[in-house]
Amino acid sequence: MEPWAALLILLAIVLLLVLPNPWDVVAFAAGLVLGGIEVFLWWRTVRHRRVQSGAEALIGASARVISPCRPEGEVWLEGARWRARCPEGADVDDVVTVLERQELLLIVSRSAQAAGAAKEAVSGDRLDR
């Protein structure tokens, strides 16, 4: 259960205890109905999505180069430093796309189309050394 869903349930219980009769029951019932609608809408949104975790979630992701990849270097991806190989070469701060993973080595490629959107996505990552 999401933290905000638990907060809605807690709010409904508090309103049940605090509000005068009959508004306590009305507020409690409204909270339950709204919570049920929200759970139903989230379920409809995510029911057809395939779960991605681990290595398969990295494929297609954008990363920022932190040491020159000529052909091997390092990239910053999802808050972690990864060894990477870029056959065409990439310089520091270039945005690359992950093509595949070979154990702990990422095979990446420079991508012009991903550069604009990905720079925004990875610019917020802090690089703690």
Side-chain angles (χ1 to χ4, degrees), residues 2-127:
E2 296 290 328
W4 42 264
L7 185 62
L8 284 176
I9 293 170
L10 182 64
L11 179 64
I13 292 171
V14 168
L15 289 177
L16 180 65
L17 298 174
V18 174
L19 290 176
N21 199 16
W23 295 110
D24 57 349
V25 176
V26 171
F28 183 73
L32 288 180
V33 169
L34 290 175
I37 290 170
E38 188 166 4
V39 167
F40 173 74
L41 292 176
W42 275 112
W43 173 76
R44 282 190 49 144
T45 302
V46 300
R47 69 180 169 174
H48 294 297
R49 293 187 185 173
R50 220 176 110 224
V51 176
Q52 287 189 341
S53 64
E56 68 183 23
L58 295 176
I59 307 303
S62 297
R64 183 169 41 99
V65 177
I66 57 174
S67 82
C69 292
R70 303 209 177 267
E72 288 194 16
E74 293 181 331
V75 296
W76 188 257
L77 175 63
E78 296 181 3
R81 185 185 301 244
W82 287 84
R83 286 187 325 115
R85 178 182 302 135
C86 184
E88 67 265 16
D91 295 320
V92 174
D93 287 333
D94 282 352
V95 176
V96 294
T97 303
V98 179
L99 302 176
E100 64 180 285
R101 182 185 65 89
Q102 296 174 351
E103 296 189 15
L104 293 178
L105 178 71
L106 300 178
I107 308 301
V108 298
S109 174
R110 287 196 305 186
S111 172
Q113 67 185 32
K119 278 192 179 180
E120 292 177 15
V122 297
S123 64
D125 290 344
R126 250 187 31 238
L127 192 57

